[in-house]
């Protein structure tokens, strides 16, 4: 080994020791493998957002609500989410521990508030896992058809269900075998997604320009107003979230106080640019706007309408790979949240959920349990759009609850200590604007409308909850109330009597007495 190699190895070792010592100041032992650098951290967050995944999921919703004009929802949502990301970037620089929103509220709020926020955030991640594995068939089945597997019907919910469940099993196994393997697959997939979406969009614009750039003003005959614009926003809202994943995996990131905030912000910027270019190219390439709206075309149909079977199949495989990587990342992030809560003895059966395999360096039981619960929505599978409604509404609810606590802490003088990333005097304004935006979007999600929050009775018979009165309640309302109610019952009967791990923070202003006591952390129990 050369002197340079020895020096590099020494620096890496010193960095690991520094990060482990920093984590120990929060009362935690380094158990997860710290193998993610800045690019890997960015790649995981970008993969969670994954513009190709969300666009393939709900492109048809935007197109059939506002025609080409729906592209203007993209910059509006990206700006709102970037404001929230700025707030999250600062707080992630103060708390480089696994769990994101749950951890932040744990340090800055009461025990019961932080528990409920973590519970909602956990199930938001679980439902998102279900939504993204249900998205993969939308690209993969047409790609397999291009290879001659014409027996696979992309429109068949049963076929979609089978492909989704197989995907869930595969990504669970990969996550069990470690973050380094996930990171390797993820980094490669992100490069393909960025180059594939960007280059492909330029090809569409240059050689398949059927609509022209004026498509962004073509509403396809739909009325353009506040109601229709808010409904059309749903695709963009479903795409641009999950940027906090970079902080969720902080305990597996090198120098997380600096790298996690950068990755949070870079992921939003990258998704906005790449996704925006892809959206524009796809809209321009629509051969006939009227037929596309009538047929509720998604990107796969537009690709197949413009290219030879061979090229369309190749590109659909590239997109399928990007969506698969998105599935990996979202499951990884949700597993870390489950592990973080179980390590603090916050969940049922916390002891096995918090156990890390000494050889794999992964919480194996958290991997398995998160995957099993993610499969529950497939018992009554009515299409990916229905699952996406619940996932997005739950995520934005947890983001709002987290931002609310951060604002309360700022009003009390937080932060008094500095961190590598800081907003300074802009922190309060950014926080308030983020809350206003997040609150407005929560109202938008909850608003009962067929396009974005239908009743089961309005799904054309695809979804029936078995009880007449539930079939008349908007889906998001039912999901949020049921999950919150189950959580509240558990917390009141069991959770509040459990010995939660004490809150230990290295900085005086990070330690709120109401958040917990001091002393040695208890062992996770059942």
């Amino acid at each position: 080994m050369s002197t340079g190699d020895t020096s590099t190895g020494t620096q890496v070792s010193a960095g690991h020791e520094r990060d482990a010592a920093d984590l120990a100041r929060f009362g935690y032992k380094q158990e997860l493998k710290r193998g993610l650098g800045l690019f890997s951290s960015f790649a995981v967050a970008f993969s969670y957002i994954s513009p190709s995944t969300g666009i393939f999921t709900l492109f048809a919703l935007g197109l059939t609500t506002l025609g080409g004009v729906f592209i203007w929802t993209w910059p509006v949502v990206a700006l709102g989410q970037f404001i929230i990301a700025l707030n999250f970037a600062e707080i992630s620089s103060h708390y480089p521990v696994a769990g994101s929103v749950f951890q932040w509220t744990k340090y800055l709020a009461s025990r019961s508030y932080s528990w409920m926020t973590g519970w909602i955030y956990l199930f938001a991640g679980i439902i998102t896992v279900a939504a993204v594995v249900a998205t993969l068939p939308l690209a993969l089945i047409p790609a397999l058809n291009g290879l001659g597997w014409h027996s696979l019907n992309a429109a068949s919910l049963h076929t979609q269900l089978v492909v989704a469940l197989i995907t869930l099993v595969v990504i669970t196994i990969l996550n069990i075998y470690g973050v380094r393997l996930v990171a390797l697959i993820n980094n490669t997939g992100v490069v393909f997604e960025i180059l594939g979406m960007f280059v492909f969009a330029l090809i569409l614009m240059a050689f398949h320009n059927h609509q022209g750039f004026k498509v962004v003003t073509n509403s396809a005959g739909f009325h353009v107003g506040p109601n229709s614009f808010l409904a059309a926003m749903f695709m963009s809202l479903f795409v641009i979230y999950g940027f906090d994943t970079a902080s969720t995996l902080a305990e597996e990131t090198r120098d997380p106080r600096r790298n996690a905030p950068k990755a949070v912000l870079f992921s939003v910027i990258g998704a906005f640019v790449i996704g925006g270019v892809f959206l524009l190219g796809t809209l321009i390439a629509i051969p006939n706007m009227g037929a596309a709206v009538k047929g509720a075309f998604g990107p796969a149909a537009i690709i197949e309408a413009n290219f030879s079977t061979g090229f369309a199949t190749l590109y659909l495989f590239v997109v399928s790979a990007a969506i698969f990587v998105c599935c990996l990342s979202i499951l990884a992030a949700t597993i870390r949240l489950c592990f973080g809560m179980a390590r603090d003895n916050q969940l049922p059966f916390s002891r096995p959920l918090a156990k890390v395999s000494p050889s794999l360096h992964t919480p194996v039981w958290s991997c398995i349990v998160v995957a099993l619960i993610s499969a529950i929505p497939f018992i009554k599978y009515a299409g990916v759009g229905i699952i996406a409604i619940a996932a997005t509404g739950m995520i934005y609810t947890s983001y709002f609850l987290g931002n609310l606590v951060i604002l309360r802490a700022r009003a009390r003088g937080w932060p008094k200590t500095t961190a590598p990333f800081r907003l300074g005097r802009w922190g309060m304004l950014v926080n308030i604007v983020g809350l206003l935006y997040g609150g407005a979007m929560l109202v938008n999600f909850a608003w009962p409308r067929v396009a974005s929050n239908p009743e089961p009775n309005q799904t054309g018979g695809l979804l029936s909850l078995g009880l007449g009165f539930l079939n008349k309640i908007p889906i998001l309302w039912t999901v949020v109330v049921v999950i919150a109610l189950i959580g509240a019952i558990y917390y009141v009967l069991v959770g509040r009597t459990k010995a939660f791990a004490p809150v230990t923070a290295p900085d005086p202003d990070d330690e709120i007495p109401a958040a917990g006591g001091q002393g040695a952390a208890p062992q996770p129990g059942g």
Side-chain angles (χ1 to χ4, degrees), residues 5 15 20 31 37 49 61 108 121 173 182 195 204 217 220 270 273 280 312 415 424 455 476 480 486 494 496:
D5 292 337
E31 294 183 278
I49 298 173
L61 185 151
L108 300 177
Y121 185 52
I173 294 172
V182 171
L195 292 178
L204 287 175
T217 63
V273 173
L280 180 59
E455 301 170 6
L476 180 59
V480 172
I486 292 173
V494 180
R496 65 191 178 93

Side-chain angles (χ1 to χ4, degrees), residues 161-221:
L161 173 62
V162 171
V163 173
L165 291 176
I166 292 173
T167 304
L168 184 58
V169 171
V170 172
I171 63 173
T172 302
I173 294 172
L174 290 173
N175 268 282
I176 287 174
Y177 276 90
V179 71
R180 289 294 294 273
L181 176 60
V182 171
L184 177 62
I185 297 171
N186 192 69
N187 292 355
T188 306
V190 164
V191 172
F192 274 105
E193 176 166 16
I194 292 174
L195 292 178
M197 291 187 72
F198 190 78
V199 173
F200 182 72
L202 295 180
I203 292 173
L204 287 175
M205 293 180 197
F207 302 106
H208 300 275
N209 189 342
H210 300 295
Q211 298 293 325
F213 289 98
K214 66 180 185 299
V215 71
V216 300
T217 63
N218 182 358
S219 67

